[in-house]
Amino acid sequence: MPTTRRQFLSLAGSVTVIPIVTPRPVEATPAMLNTAIRNVVGEAPIRAGKVKLDIPPLVENGNTVPMTVSVSSPMTADDYVKSIHVFNEKNPQPNIGNFYLNPSSGRAEISTRIRLADTQKVVAIARLSDDSFWQVTADIVVTLAACTEEVN
Amino acid sequence: MAVLINVPAKAKRGDIIEIRALTSHIMETGFRHTMDGALVPRDIITSFTCRYNGAEIFRADLFPAIAANPYLSFFTVAKESGKFEFEWMGDNGYSSTASASITVE
């Protein structure tokens, strides 16, 4: 006797389905990015400008991405950059680094190497000595992701 | 732990000098899994400080998004001859220091 569609379906329904779990990398959301920024900035307005973010627009390997943040500031005793904060949009965690400067820094510029888990936006915010905040945003295309890969 | 420090040996008073510091550290993010699904625990350097003759001139909070073997470059004004001291602190009680000297004319 040929198996009817109804019989087949009832049979299929009784079979315990083993779920195939594909581990999805944890990802920060734009909301997490905003929260992280507000944790640093508070309610203060953030203006665009003054900050320059040097980062390659396309990176092949997200494990080591060179990044330089510079702020146009005279770096004098009464007009200097207090700190630079860098954030990302889609790594598992929104913070990249906080860097604290002072008038004797001479030049408001820092460089480091970062990890990027996905094609995303990087935000750099500078806090000046008058407690104003300035930001710049860069979009980076990442071919090979970092952070969440398997350990061999 | 291997540390690489780059500070000019000599500078004129008032010069703006670049300081580069690199230390070897895995910077395990705490978001990676092994083949059998176990989470690899986080192990990162969380803070870096540079002091110039005892006074703090640069400090950084680091997060898992900083690449392995953290590299940092920053600037300072050469004021007087003396010593730069570097300190890295991190998870699991990690601590490492280094120093470099400068002659200011």
Side-chain angles (χ1 to χ4, degrees), chain B residues 67-96:
Chain B
N69 306 322
Y71 163 80
L72 285 162
S73 137
F74 50 95
F75 291 83
T76 195
V77 178
K79 284 182 176 159
E80 58 204 357
S81 298
K83 203 166 144 191
F84 288 97
E85 288 167 299
F86 304 87
E87 187 180 30
W88 293 264
M89 305 233 274
D91 292 340
N92 310 316
Y94 178 88
S95 172
S96 150

Side-chain angles (χ1 to χ4, degrees), chain A residues 25-104:
Chain A
V26 251
E27 210 172 72
T29 60
M32 281 168 75
L33 172 66
N34 280 335
T35 311
I37 290 174
R38 285 296 155 202
N39 280 344
V40 168
V41 174
E43 291 306 304
I46 310 167
R47 282 174 274 181
K50 286 192 194 263
V51 190
K52 192 164 158 257
L53 178 56
D54 274 320
I55 193 165
L58 187 146
V59 292
E60 235 169 65
N61 187 338
N63 275 307
T64 315
V65 184
M67 173 193 85
T68 298
V69 184
S70 49
V71 188
S72 64
S73 163
M75 296 305 275
T76 56
D78 47 6
D79 186 2
Y80 63 97
V81 177
K82 269 187 183 171
S83 57
I84 294 170
H85 307 267
V86 189
F87 304 92
N88 69 79
E89 192 186 12
K90 287 183 180 169
N91 277 8
Q93 209 221 336
N95 296 82
I96 292 180
N98 301 324
F99 308 93
Y100 303 92
L101 314 180
N102 56 58
S104 68

Side-chain angles (χ1 to χ4, degrees), chain B residues 4-8 18-22 48 71-74 86:
Chain B
L4 208 61
I5 300 288
N6 192 319
V7 172
E18 183 179 17
I19 297 170
R20 287 177 286 170
L22 185 137
F48 169 82
Y71 163 80
L72 285 162
S73 137
F74 50 95
F86 304 87

Side-chain angles (χ1 to χ4, degrees), chain A residues 63 91-93 95-100 102 104-107 109-115 147 149-151, chain B residues 22 26-27 29 31-33 35 56-57 59-61 63-68 71-73 75-77 79:
Chain A
N63 275 307
N91 277 8
Q93 209 221 336
N95 296 82
I96 292 180
N98 301 324
F99 308 93
Y100 303 92
N102 56 58
S104 68
S105 294
R107 187 185 301 173
E109 182 180 315
I110 60 103
S111 299
T112 187
R113 294 197 275 252
I114 67 168
R115 288 182 173 126
C147 295
E149 78 272 32
E150 273 186 350
V151 180
Chain B
L22 185 137
I26 183 170
M27 293 296 277
T29 61
F31 296 105
R32 300 199 305 161
H33 290 82
M35 297 283 225
E56 182 184 297
I57 53 159
R59 182 164 57 88
D61 303 329
F63 294 87
I66 298 290
Y71 163 80
L72 285 162
S73 137
F75 291 83
T76 195
V77 178
K79 284 182 176 159

